[in-house]
Structures are given as C-alpha cells and as structure tokens.
Amino acid sequence: MTDDVAALPPDALAQAFVQFAVDCGVLRFGEFRTKAGRLSPYFFNAGLFSDGASLGRLAQFYARALLHSGIEFDMLFGPAHKGIPLATAAAIELARLGRNVPFAYNRKEAKDHGEGGSLVGAPLRGRVLIIDDVMSAGTAVRESIALIRAAGASPHAVAVALDRQEMATEDGADVPYSAVQYVRERLGLQVCAIARLADLLQYLQRQPGEALAAHHERVLAYRQRYGVD
C-alpha cells in the first residue's frame, strides 16, 4: 500500500477516496435517474475503475477501511457481477498487508458441467464479509446471505465503497431507513463504508469554484429530501 493511503486516518481516508473517485470519473455530477426512479445530482459507478492502477488503488482503500473498522472476518465474498473484481482485488491487497484470507464469488447462473454449482473460489466457511460497491436496495446482499447460509457459513459483515445515506424503497414507496441501515439493524450484519454521502458533501463544500459550489447545493437538497442519518 502506498504511503499516502496507508497513513490516512478514517476521516481523511474518506476525503481522499472521494477525490480519487472524482479524478477517475467514477463519481460524476449532473442529473441521473436511480433504480428508485429519483433524479440524483450525482452518480457513482465502481465499474469505471477499469484499469489495473485504479482497481489496485481502490483495493487499498477497501483494505485500509476494513482495518480501521475492526470488523472480524474469515473470508471475503463478491456478489456477481461487480463484487467479483472488488473482492478479488481486496483479497490481494489484504494479503500484501499480511492478512491473507480466502475469497469466493457466485455465478449468476449455476454451471451444469465440470464442478457445477453457482459458487467459485474457496469454500464458504466461518464469518463471511461481503464486498460490493454501493447498496441501493440491498438485493445483492440478501441474495448473498442466502447463498452463504445455504453453504453453512455465517454472513457477518458488508463492505461498500459509498454509503448513499438515502431512503430505500419497498414496493415502489420510500421507507424511513437506508439499505445500509436495513442490513445493519434488521439483518444484523456489520457494515463498513469507505465514504458516505456526508463525506461527499464535505468534499464539495471545501472545493473552490462556482461549479462545485452549485453541485454542493444540489447534493445537499437531494439529501434533505431523501437522506437518512
């Protein structure tokens, strides 16, 4: 891990991650429709960390955030599809830091030849930490929990890159809790986020220039309408 990431405390880590996501074009500002049908003034797509250097640095942020969190886990699980490279890269970085853990991921469709099944990688055992980019509805997490429990392991925690800190939806209606809060409070899993919407707002507030100031106002208005604490 490069020194500029390794030495950062949690708050500074979040700010550095937001800057990194902006620099990579992964975090963008404008007008974007979410899965819930909302018009969001920002969009985060971890799939755009699409070269070796950016994915490697992303893994550094995940690893450092996990170490700061103090969450105990025995292995990593990456939900198909975006979670697969995230869990793989994080496992490589953790091993480089002396924390070598197995990892696994699932196929969207079960394989009917060879070894068969929907799971690839290490056998699911012990306390499993699920790695994904963001949680909008928690669907991928719930599917992962079912797979992990069916294998006899324990779904223990979730790590995401960005916690949007906004209301989830159920049957098309807003509910007064976020997907992260649902996973933490109702499913009983610990959650580690590299950065949150609050960190994004803090980043925008500190940046010079009228353009980013305007983005700050729009993101703040969005949080005031849809946000949760």
Side-chain angles (χ1 to χ4, degrees):
M1 179 177 292
T2 55
D3 291 341
D4 61 333
V5 175
L8 293 175
D11 290 346
L13 186 77
Q15 292 298 301
F17 177 73
V18 172
Q19 182 68 67
F20 167 57
V22 170
D23 291 343
C24 290
V26 169
L27 179 56
R28 300 178 179 181
F29 303 100
E31 188 173 88
F32 309 91
R33 190 165 295 278
T34 69
K35 289 181 180 180
R38 301 168 185 158
L39 286 178
S40 172
Y42 74 98
F43 183 67
F44 180 86
N45 180 8
L48 297 176
F49 290 119
S50 55
D51 59 41
S54 63
L55 184 60
R57 187 163 174 81
L58 174 61
Q60 294 174 1
F61 280 104
Y62 270 113
R64 181 52 58 182
L66 285 170
L67 292 174
H68 280 312
S69 75
I71 294 173
E72 298 291 337
F73 56 93
D74 300 307
M75 67 176 296
L76 305 179
F77 180 81
H81 290 285
K82 283 186 180 178
I84 296 173
L86 300 179
T88 304
I92 292 170
E93 180 61 24
L94 285 167
R96 202 181 72 81
L97 295 173
R99 178 80 165 87
N100 187 31
V101 295
F103 73 96
Y105 57 90
N106 66 300
R107 301 183 179 97
K108 280 291 187 181
E109 296 181 1
K111 187 177 179 182
D112 60 3
H113 61 280
E115 74 278 12
S118 62
L119 297 174
V120 182
L124 289 172
R125 293 173 182 164
R127 298 165 298 181
V128 182
L129 185 141
I130 302 162
I131 293 194
D132 214 340
D133 55 352
V134 296
M135 275 192 285
S136 298
T139 304
V141 171
R142 286 195 290 268
E143 291 174 351
S144 298
I145 287 172
L147 286 169
I148 292 165
R149 285 179 174 160
S154 173
H156 185 67
V158 181
V160 294
L162 181 68
D163 177 2
R164 288 181 61 98
Q165 293 184 293
E166 67 180 76
M167 291 183 287
T169 59
E170 290 184 4
D171 300 322
D174 294 340
V175 292
Y177 51 81
S178 70
V180 166
Q181 288 175 327
Y182 177 85
V183 168
R184 180 184 290 124
E185 296 168 12
R186 303 198 180 193
L187 299 183
L189 276 65
Q190 298 181 67
V191 180
C192 169
I194 302 173
R196 304 166 301 149
L197 179 57
D199 299 308
L200 170 56
L201 281 165
Q202 186 179 54
Y203 167 83
L204 289 171
Q205 192 171 32
R206 291 177 174 178
Q207 302 306 304
E210 295 181 2
L212 286 178
H215 290 317
H216 176 268
E217 293 303 314
R218 286 191 285 269
V219 174
L220 181 60
Y222 184 82
R223 186 179 185 188
Q224 289 171 340
R225 181 173 181 181
Y226 297 113
V228 294
D229 293 329

